[in-house]
Amino acid sequence: MARLGLLRHVEVISTVSGGSIVGALYYLHVKRLLEAKGDEEVTDQDYIAIITRIEEDFLRGVQQNLRMRTFINPLKALRMALPNYSRSDRIGELYDEYFYRPVLDPNRTTLIAMRELKIQPKGAKPDFNPQDDNDGRRAKAPILLLNATSLNTGHNWRFEAVRMGEPPREGIIAKEIDKNLRLRRPPSYDAITEKQQNIELGLAVAASACVPGLFPPLAISGLYPHDIRVQLVDGGVHDNQGVGGLLDMGCTRFVVSDASGQMRDETQPTTSIPAVLGRANSILMDRVREEELFRLIQHEDAPVAFMHMLRGSRDRRCHGSARMKNRPSRKRKSGCPRPPPRASASTARCRIFSPDSDRPRFVQRRGGLRVDV
């Protein structure tokens, strides 16, 4: 996308799980670029340079083995006995130290707060709002959505530069279907308890990438009455593509990068209780993934470019027994040729790329193109 000159058009970045680590890193680089250069000065080469830098930064951070570093500091280990601090909080601090602070300010010693992520492009009007003021800009200022899942209610929890919480879902039908409590999202960080107004970027990323069973839930206390302590886990539990945020923001064109481990077929599934429980969970998560993607592809004629990482996934079908395969076909009237298979409208609007496909060439034109990741 950088080489094709498309990254400058991205207006919303919605991330889940490990994608939030890289997504936040990319966002910080774009923030620095847009605040250092005027709109007319930004070039496609700047975005190519950002991608190159991210590859180097991410590799350098991964080589630090951050997961093991969560155990090294003895004072931090003792603090993990408290209900509001865990290994997830610690790895969030390490994300900040090794990934994010070196981009925003290498000399900085304090954690980066979410509310500091607002982009104020060089030369733009004061109090720039990307939802209202991106029109007319050649290099769009993106909005970052870091998605987690609330264990309290089962809803999506979203971190943004201006607010955090469960997105509202209004309407009589929605309220009839979803009977769970919805933790209301404040309009801004200024409207919540002072203790949480400066919640850190690293913690938001840690919550979004908090894989259940691998990391403990990340706790946020003091936001709601009745001693509610919000417990957050990986955003992929609720929406492992992050498409809900894009639809909520009114995006019109979509690029979806699916790095999730797709469920494999089983010729002879193991029938032990642990194996069946694990397989049932995989089926449930695979269903969530598919339904979210179908929802996106069928959304108001919006073009979708979908990329996944599974090889050998083309047309894998089992036709059953030889008797079924050799069953005679229904007779057709003479002069009535069999009609060719027709692609649905949603299929025509969705281009799929995989490791088996050619290099993605999904751009037919550049002018006025809006792409949302």
Side-chain angles (χ1 to χ4, degrees), residues 49-50 93 165 192 215 281 364:
I50 285 176
E93 295 169 350
I192 65 177
F215 288 100
N281 183 70
Q364 302 299 324

Side-chain angles (χ1 to χ4, degrees), residues 101-123:
R101 262 183 278 169
V103 176
L104 201 60
D105 182 359
N107 299 317
R108 182 171 176 149
T109 58
T110 57
L111 299 176
I112 300 170
M114 284 297 303
R115 65 194 308 174
E116 296 180 65
L117 297 189
K118 288 184 64 177
I119 297 177
Q120 180 59 47
K122 182 179 179 181

Side-chain angles (χ1 to χ4, degrees), residues 84-111:
N84 288 323
Y85 190 86
S86 68
R87 212 157 55 89
S88 296
D89 294 81
R90 178 56 182 150
I91 201 166
E93 295 169 350
L94 293 172
Y95 289 153
D96 187 282
E97 178 180 353
Y98 287 97
F99 289 133
Y100 306 138
R101 262 183 278 169
V103 176
L104 201 60
D105 182 359
N107 299 317
R108 182 171 176 149
T109 58
T110 57
L111 299 176

Side-chain angles (χ1 to χ4, degrees), residues 18-36:
S20 292
I21 303 173
V22 179
L25 185 59
Y26 170 78
Y27 179 89
L28 289 176
H29 277 287
V30 173
K31 173 179 169 65
R32 283 196 59 185
L33 170 65
L34 299 185
E35 292 181 345

